[in-house]
Amino acid sequence: MQQPEFTAEAHVDEFAALFPDAPSKAAVALAAMDGPGITTAMRGQCPVDARFEIGSITKTMTATLLASLAADDVLALDDDLERWVPAAAGKGLKLQALATHTSGLPRLAPNNLWQALAHPRNPYVGYSAKRAEKGLRAVPAAAASLDPAPHQYSNFGYQLLGLALERASGQSYQQMLKERITGPLGMTSTGVRDGVPRDGDGGVEIPGHAGGRAVPHWDQPMPGAGGVESTIGDMARYLAACAHPADDAPGEAIRLAQSPRLVVAKGKEIGLGWIRWDARVLWHNGKTGGFCSSMALDPQSGRGMVLLASSTSGSGSVLDQRVIRLVRDGR
């Protein structure tokens, strides 16, 4: 049997089938890259410019901003967090450790746990820089000085990293994103929720779904961990830029962010934000209350894929494994 072409249209239905609420309520959008060509396809309730929460794929953008500011000598990867966030004094937290999840910080701040449990549909609402610094003071000294450094995925770490970048640059996260990534790449409908027009040329806001029901969007006052929204068209541009970094400032920052920093498991390395499987496939996924996403690219083969869905009813591990395998093997 001849295998299907590596196009979005050839594979979108198999992903849409993972989301039982997609045909009548939720939206599924897929971008597939094969060498220089990129195709997109959509299913369900999906306007062509639908804007999705991309969740933790945001971390790859935050890490690229870190690399960009380092290239401009605004900061250094081994700067202490306390240079920008005084609450980190004495904890031994380096910016690079935040970006590689080797800071020793917990997944959520101690003073964000109760809120996440009490308000799972909007766990970060009202979680400001002031509250984050208070939460940081309650965390014991980090384990980042251990050798080998422990790897512990931390949304809190990326919230603090985004805050440090804002203070170092003197700009909001949205301003940095537009100036250093989305603007140069032509991603006109991408940004943090409060920084993107609700409709019109900023894309169309669509509802997320969980358990077959529409759920609220997440409010993330500290967006560095997962606060970006985007369209499939913009994410196709981001995919191409990450697969073929240009010889310019954004391309240099992307390459620096993708470079592996440490091995965290057999066949698994981590760079600044990016996870690399089997020394080939660069990957990250994302999930919020009503959206999920997965993105992978293989510079060696020239294949890449981005999936965006306005639902969390699909099987996350199956979805991610399928995206990675398709990009790695082409089938």
Side-chain angles (χ1 to χ4, degrees), residues 26-27 57 73 77 111 135 137 162 165-166 177 182 204 209 222 243 284 301-302 307 321 330:
I57 292 179
D73 293 325
L77 297 182
N111 62 347
R137 292 188 187 96
L165 300 185
E166 287 184 324
L177 194 68
T182 63
V204 174
H209 298 82
M222 300 182 69
H284 214 295
S301 69
L307 176 86
Q321 290 167 13

Side-chain angles (χ1 to χ4, degrees), residues 31-319:
M33 177 184 67
D34 192 3
I38 297 184
T39 56
T40 60
M42 288 151 281
R43 293 292 186 269
Q45 302 299 305
C46 191
V48 68
D49 55 350
R51 202 168 65 245
F52 298 77
E53 293 178 351
I54 67 170
S56 288
I57 292 179
T58 298
K59 291 181 174 69
T60 68
M61 298 180 180
T62 302
T64 300
L65 292 175
L66 169 63
S68 177
L69 291 172
D72 286 348
D73 293 325
V74 176
L75 47 72
L77 297 182
D78 62 353
D79 273 347
D80 286 317
L81 177 64
E82 67 179 277
R83 178 180 176 188
W84 314 109
V85 182
K91 297 187 183 295
L93 297 170
K94 304 289 188 181
L95 299 185
Q96 180 172 263
L98 298 176
T100 56
H101 300 288
T102 55
S103 65
L105 291 173
R107 189 179 188 95
L108 292 177
N111 62 347
N112 193 200
L113 277 172
W114 69 267
Q115 178 175 319
L117 292 172
H119 305 284
R121 289 192 172 185
N122 205 355
Y124 301 112
V125 61
Y127 197 74
S128 63
K130 182 177 180 180
R131 290 184 61 191
E133 292 191 80
K134 183 177 180 180
L136 181 57
R137 292 188 187 96
V139 174
S145 60
L146 296 179
D147 187 19
H151 178 260
Q152 178 173 281
Y153 193 87
S154 177
N155 287 316
F156 186 35
Y158 261 83
Q159 288 175 317
L160 293 169
L161 178 58
L163 176 61
L165 300 185
E166 287 184 324
R167 291 178 175 175
S169 67
Q171 295 179 304
S172 69
Y173 188 93
Q174 171 67 11
Q175 289 170 326
M176 282 190 293
L177 194 68
K178 184 173 182 179
E179 179 180 302
R180 294 175 179 271
I181 299 177
T182 63
L185 299 184
M187 300 168 65
T188 59
S189 300
T190 300
V192 298
R193 189 159 178 255
D194 289 339
V196 178
R198 291 291 189 267
D199 294 297
D201 61 0
V204 174
E205 184 174 277
I206 59 173
H209 298 82
R213 297 181 179 181
V215 296
H217 284 252
W218 277 6
D219 295 301
Q220 301 197 50
M222 300 182 69
V228 170
E229 293 186 348
S230 189
T231 64
I232 194 63
D234 273 9
M235 290 304 292
R237 294 181 183 90
Y238 186 57
L239 177 65
C242 291
H244 311 291
D247 292 325
D248 56 15
E252 179 183 351
I254 288 169
R255 279 190 290 271
L256 180 58
Q258 292 177 346
S259 299
R261 302 275 159 173
L262 70 154
V263 176
V264 296
K266 184 178 180 180
K268 181 181 179 182
E269 300 170 289
I270 190 164
L272 301 178
W274 288 99
I275 297 165
R276 186 186 295 266
W277 292 101
D278 300 323
R280 281 187 57 181
V281 178
L282 289 157
W283 170 84
H284 214 295
N285 66 354
K287 187 175 182 180
T288 63
F291 294 81
C292 69
S293 58
S294 191
M295 175 177 175
L297 57 106
D298 180 3
Q300 181 176 318
S301 69
R303 288 187 296 267
M305 185 167 279
V306 180
L307 176 86
L308 305 176
S310 64
S311 171
T312 59
S313 61
S315 175
S317 60
V318 170
L319 185 155

